[in-house]
Each structure stands twice: as C-alpha cells, then as structure tokens.
Amino acid sequence: MLKCNLEITHFALVMSFINFLFFHFPFFNFVFSNIDYKSFNGIIIIISLVVAMIAANFFAFYLFLFISRYFGKFLLILFFNINALAIYFINTYSIIIDESMVGNVLNTNYDESSRFFSIKMVIYLIFLGILPSIYIIKTKIVNVSAKKFFKTFSLTLLFLLVLIFVNAGNWLWIDKNSKTLGGLAMPWSYSVNTTLFYIHKHKRNEKEILLPKAIIKDHKKAVVILVIGESARSENFSLYGYKKNTNPYLSKTENLYHFNATSSATYTTGGVKAILDYKKTDDLYEILPNYLYRNDVDVVWRTTNWGEPPVHIKNYQKRENLMPNCKGEACNYDEILLTGLKEQILASTKDKILIILHTSTSHGPTYSKKYPPQFETFKPVCNSVELGNCSQTELINAYDNTIVYTDYILHNVIEDLKQLKEYNSTMLFVSDHGESLGEKNLYMHGLPLSIAPKEQYEIPFIVWVSNDSIKLKPNQMLSQQNVFHSVLKFLNIESPIHDENLNIFK
C-alpha cells in the first residue's frame, strides 16, 4: 500500500512516474513505429524521451505543489481526469490532441459530445482518473524549505537543459515529429494547445476584416444553395466510382457535375471557414454570407451543425427555429433543413439569393443514428460508439447509409430548385473534410493535415445547374476556395477580390 505521508519532492516524483506509466503508451508506440529502435541512436532517443518526460512533469508538478499544496493537488486531479478521457479518445479513435483537435472539443455541442459516451470511457475515467485522484486527496504532503526547493528545482532545470544539449543531433527527428509527439504527451498536449487555441481565437476575433464593396450587375433572378457536408469523403460516393450504389438519385440527375477536391483542414471549424473564405488564410476576413448580406443579397443560413465562423445575417436558423413548421420523422434528421425552403425563396424580395445548409449527416461516431430507418440500405451496421469494436464491414455499412441519405437530401434540394422556373439556380455540395473508417487503424477525422490520410481530406464537390445554358469549366481538381468565387460569378456580383481562376462557371 502506498504511503499517505510523503515529502513534496517524493510526491511530485511519484505523480510523474504514475502519469508516465498510465498515459504515455500511445506516445512511445508512435516513437517505436517511427525510429530504428534497435540502433544506438534510436536507443538514445527512447531513453532520452523517457527521462525527459518524467523530469519535465516532475519539474512542473513540484513547482505547482510548492506554490500551494491545495492548488497543486487540484491541478493534479484535473490533469489525471482529463488525461484519462484524452487517452480513451486517443486509444479508441487514434486522434492526436493538437490545437485543431482542442478546437473541435471546445466547439462541440452537447448533442454531439453525448454520442461519444460509453462504458469503456467510464472505466478509463474510474481507473485512470478517479482512483489516482483519491490517492492524491488522501496523501499528506510534507513541505520542504525554500532552500531545498530551489536547489532541487534548479538541478532539475539544469538536468533538462543538459538533456536537450546531449540530444542536439536528434532535434531534426524530434522537430519533424513535434506535432504528433506534442499531441500525445500528457498533460501538455491539451494544456498547451488549449492556451494556443484561445490566444489565436482572441487574435482572430479582435475585428472582422471587411472586404471591398461589391456590385450586383443585373436584376436577373438567381439563387445558389450551398450545402456544406459533414465528414463526407468522396471515396464512398458511387458518383466517384464507389462499387456500392450510394447515389441512386444523383446518378440519374441531369445537369449534375462532380469534381475531385481536397479540404483545407480535417476538422469542422477549419473546413467550414475555408469554404466561406475568399482565400486561404488564418485571418478573420468577412466570410461569404456576411459579405453578400452586406451587399444586398438575401442570405439564409440553416444548420443542424456547429463550428462556423461568426455569421452576421438576419435569417440564421437552427433546428429549434425550424422545428415548429416541421412535421413527421424527418424533423429528427437533416431533412429538417428543407422545411419550407422553396417557400422562403419565393417569399424573398431580392433578385439574388444565397441559401447555406450546414448538415451533420455523416458525423461520427454514431453513424447509424444519422439517417431514418428506411435509409438503412446496407446491413449489418455498427451501432457502437467504440468503432474499433465493430467489424469494418459494419462500420462502412453504417457510414454508407449516411451517404445514401445525403444523396436523398441533395435530390430534394434539386427538386425544389427545379420548380423555381423564373430563377437561374445552382446547388453546390462541398464537404468540410473527409473521414477515416478504420483504415490504418484510424477513425473519424482531425489529424494534422500534414500527416492525415487521404480519407480525411479527399472530399466531394458536386454541382447541379438549372439549365444547359449554364456551363462549367473543365476543372480537374478543386478546393474549398473555389466556392466563394463561383458563388460571386453565378450571382453576377462584381468585386475587386473576385478571382476568376477560382471560379468554376464559364
């Protein structure tokens, strides 16, 4: 049984060892997979990382506990419980906790986050979080003199600096893999990246950068419906050659085009921002709906999702806004976004209209809950949030059914537009990012783009136009940046920032 009376130095060291043993298997699994661990240099890297991990955590824990035993204990309890949840998600979904993943977590709403709940997650939390917390609470910490503290603190810091100097020859490898290593080191992965997330968020949101004035060039009625897909990867669309018929409606639709495309990010906030931005940038420029609304276009945003940049328009409609006018089972799914859509377009007093539908149809891990029962075309399906417990056949079947349902929703959007005879109309469907479905033992999305597999960034870019007179350029490969400039072109809006090279229409 562990002692319940420990000197602060010994307690910090014990906590560092426990933290190392409980939470760093994924970290060293990555290291062993990416170096020659049998070579002398590989052995040096591994030993150095083990020692550095324990020493760095001891350094921090020792400092926090000396400042205040209560504050230090509170932080340790917080770290262990968050570590337990973090390591559950890393082991279950093969994620890396970088700044973008922290953004995903902080921007996820309750409805989506509750879908990740599982018994396995509770077990992780109890054994790796709550039980160590009980030990932390019960242990009586014996303080040391300021002289002894500064001596130990200084020696630890000196040791870390010497370790860094000794490994100077390995910094190239460490730097190359720093994003992954940093995203797997506990508790630094989320603590550092949460700080960075809020620093960058504050910087971005200081002031929206307005774009130059645009001019509507004619009075011809035109409407664009931009459907932003969620986690839809092109690989599973039969339009793109997938062997299973996941596009029974779109495959028979005239004036429909599909293009190969890539996303600018593997997470929702980054992907949606890229779709709405006029150029690839981290700055907070005025996004497409805000820009067009300010320049006298009727703009409507309907969403069952989250994660978009700040939207400043009059008609911003969430599920709860649409629910009173929706009837039937479809109201529980993304079909709710189509409620009264045609009527809203016809009621507009403007010549130019932009409708944005932000869906959530293919968002995991509960793919089988994202479509009505009649769309369960492929069986059997995965019904577990622990995707690794399902066979890949079950997992892919459930995901493919979300694509079948997406096909049906897009078909209905097109049918509504067909009835608007006095309008030139187009529908653009672009996904925010792709999705991993067990390939290379990866699930869902959110890996840094530099190391993400193609399943997480190869996305569908589908275009329908209302008549043969509207021609498209023979594009080979598109990106999310094509959306902004193509919408301006279709609505015949002149702007100094319009880039004809990024416009898909002739």
Side-chain angles (χ1 to χ4, degrees):
M1 186 173 179
L2 289 171
K3 289 171 62 178
C4 287
N5 292 278
L6 284 176
E7 186 183 280
I8 186 173
T9 311
H10 300 149
F11 182 68
L13 194 57
V14 168
M15 288 293 97
S16 183
F17 268 110
I18 294 175
N19 180 76
F20 172 77
L21 292 173
F22 281 12
F23 304 117
H24 288 89
F25 176 78
F27 181 95
F28 284 97
N29 185 48
F30 173 81
V31 173
F32 274 83
S33 299
N34 288 273
I35 63 168
D36 180 7
Y37 56 86
K38 294 180 180 179
S39 69
F40 177 76
N41 194 56
I43 293 170
I44 292 297
I45 290 176
I46 292 168
I47 293 174
S48 297
L49 287 172
V50 169
V51 174
M53 193 70 68
I54 294 171
N57 284 327
F58 166 77
F59 182 82
F61 297 167
Y62 190 51
L63 175 62
F64 296 145
L65 289 164
F66 184 78
I67 292 171
S68 167
R69 280 171 287 174
Y70 298 107
F71 174 68
K73 280 190 171 186
F74 169 76
L75 278 183
L76 284 171
I77 290 168
L78 189 66
F79 284 154
F80 270 77
N81 283 278
I82 297 176
N83 284 357
L85 291 173
I87 211 71
Y88 163 76
F89 280 98
I90 290 170
N91 287 340
T92 305
Y93 300 110
S94 300
I95 66 168
I96 293 173
I97 305 179
D98 62 354
E99 186 181 345
S100 62
M101 184 58 67
V102 167
N104 281 341
V105 173
L106 294 174
N107 285 305
T108 299
N109 57 30
Y110 173 78
D111 182 57
E112 287 296 344
S113 60
S114 63
R115 295 176 188 271
F116 288 95
F117 179 81
S118 71
I119 298 301
K120 183 180 174 183
M121 184 172 73
V122 174
I123 292 171
Y124 267 75
L125 189 58
I126 291 173
F127 285 95
L128 301 182
I130 294 174
L131 291 181
S133 297
I134 294 171
Y135 170 71
I136 293 167
I137 292 169
K138 286 191 170 185
T139 301
K140 183 180 178 182
I141 301 174
V142 181
N143 224 332
V144 294
S145 66
K147 182 179 179 181
K148 185 173 181 180
F149 166 77
F150 283 113
K151 180 182 177 182
T152 305
F153 188 79
S154 301
L155 287 173
T156 306
L157 180 59
L158 179 63
F159 176 75
L160 285 169
L161 292 173
V162 170
L163 195 63
I164 291 170
F165 176 76
V166 169
N167 277 278
N170 295 319
W171 271 105
L172 187 61
W173 181 88
I174 293 172
D175 182 63
K176 178 184 175 183
N177 297 284
S178 59
K179 202 158 195 175
T180 304
L181 293 172
L184 295 174
M186 301 295 156
W188 310 110
S189 57
Y190 57 83
S191 54
V192 171
N193 283 309
T194 299
T195 304
L196 291 174
F197 171 80
Y198 279 111
I199 290 171
H200 294 152
K201 182 179 180 179
H202 175 73
K203 184 179 178 182
R204 287 195 300 269
N205 291 339
E206 283 179 351
K207 188 176 181 181
E208 186 178 61
I209 305 169
L210 297 183
L211 299 176
K213 183 173 175 56
I215 300 171
I216 298 173
K217 298 297 289 180
D218 63 32
H219 295 286
K220 172 67 180 173
K221 286 183 174 291
V223 57
V224 175
I225 296 185
L226 169 61
V227 184
I228 300 177
E230 169 62 57
S231 304
R233 68 185 201 183
S234 55
E235 182 178 327
N236 290 59
F237 281 66
S238 50
L239 286 176
Y240 287 84
Y242 190 47
K243 61 182 179 181
K244 292 157 71 173
N245 186 14
T246 54
N247 300 129
Y249 287 104
L250 295 182
S251 60
K252 299 174 184 176
T253 302
E254 294 182 354
N255 297 328
L256 189 93
Y257 306 85
H258 63 277
F259 304 96
N260 294 321
T262 56
S263 63
S264 295
T266 61
Y267 55 98
T268 297
T269 50
V272 174
K273 184 178 185 297
I275 291 170
L276 303 176
D277 267 340
Y278 88 98
K279 68 176 182 178
K280 194 171 184 177
T281 176
D282 290 328
D283 294 321
L284 190 65
Y285 281 97
E286 195 172 20
I287 56 173
L288 180 64
N290 299 348
Y291 184 49
L292 295 189
Y293 178 71
R294 188 168 64 85
N295 283 281
D296 209 31
V297 174
D298 194 358
V299 181
V300 177
W301 184 293
R302 293 181 167 196
T303 181
T304 58
N305 210 324
W306 52 270
E308 68 270 0
V311 179
H312 308 306
I313 63 172
K314 180 181 179 181
N315 285 319
Y316 182 87
Q317 301 168 330
K318 295 184 177 181
R319 182 187 294 274
E320 53 266 32
N321 305 122
L322 299 169
M323 190 62 80
N325 296 316
C326 186
K327 295 180 181 179
E329 184 186 35
C331 304
N332 299 318
Y333 303 94
D334 275 354
E335 277 177 81
I336 194 172
L337 296 175
L338 309 184
T339 303
L341 183 61
K342 182 180 65 176
E343 291 73 18
Q344 187 167 18
I345 295 171
L346 289 171
S348 176
T349 58
K350 302 288 181 69
D351 295 323
K352 309 295 183 180
I353 304 171
L354 170 65
I355 311 283
I356 298 176
L357 308 179
H358 188 192
T359 69
S360 61
T361 314
S362 296
H363 197 294
T366 52
Y367 304 110
S368 62
K369 307 296 183 186
K370 290 293 189 174
Y371 52 84
Q374 64 267 31
F375 287 90
E376 195 156 277
T377 306
F378 307 107
K379 300 177 182 180
V381 300
C382 173
N383 289 307
S384 173
V385 298
E386 296 172 23
L387 303 182
N389 292 342
C390 297
S391 70
Q392 192 163 32
T393 298
E394 292 172 330
L395 178 57
I396 290 176
N397 281 345
Y399 181 82
D400 285 345
N401 290 332
T402 70
I403 305 302
V404 172
Y405 187 48
T406 297
D407 179 81
Y408 175 75
I409 290 173
L410 298 181
H411 165 74
N412 279 285
V413 169
I414 292 169
E415 290 302 305
D416 275 352
L417 289 176
K418 282 181 179 178
Q419 296 176 46
L420 305 175
K421 303 296 184 183
E422 69 272 37
Y423 285 87
N424 274 345
S425 57
T426 185
M427 180 205 73
L428 306 178
F429 173 75
V430 185
S431 186
D432 57 355
H433 51 75
E435 191 85 335
S436 284
L437 299 173
E439 300 89 0
K440 301 176 183 175
N441 203 34
L442 297 173
Y443 297 94
M444 297 183 63
H445 53 268
L447 283 179
L449 195 61
S450 59
I451 62 171
K454 63 183 179 62
E455 289 84 7
Q456 292 192 25
Y457 60 79
E458 289 187 352
I459 58 170
F461 196 121
I462 299 170
V463 183
W464 174 85
V465 291
S466 56
N467 58 72
D468 293 333
S469 65
I470 303 168
K471 303 295 184 182
L472 279 77
K473 297 176 182 177
N475 302 285
Q476 297 299 316
M477 176 64 73
L478 300 180
S479 72
Q480 292 168 328
Q481 276 68 49
N482 289 91
V483 172
F484 188 105
H485 303 277
S486 301
V487 171
L488 289 187
K489 180 69 173 182
F490 191 88
L491 296 176
N492 201 13
I493 294 172
E494 185 180 90
S495 169
I497 48 93
H498 174 66
D499 187 343
E500 183 58 29
N501 293 324
L502 293 175
N503 160 48
I504 66 172
F505 297 105
K506 285 186 179 178

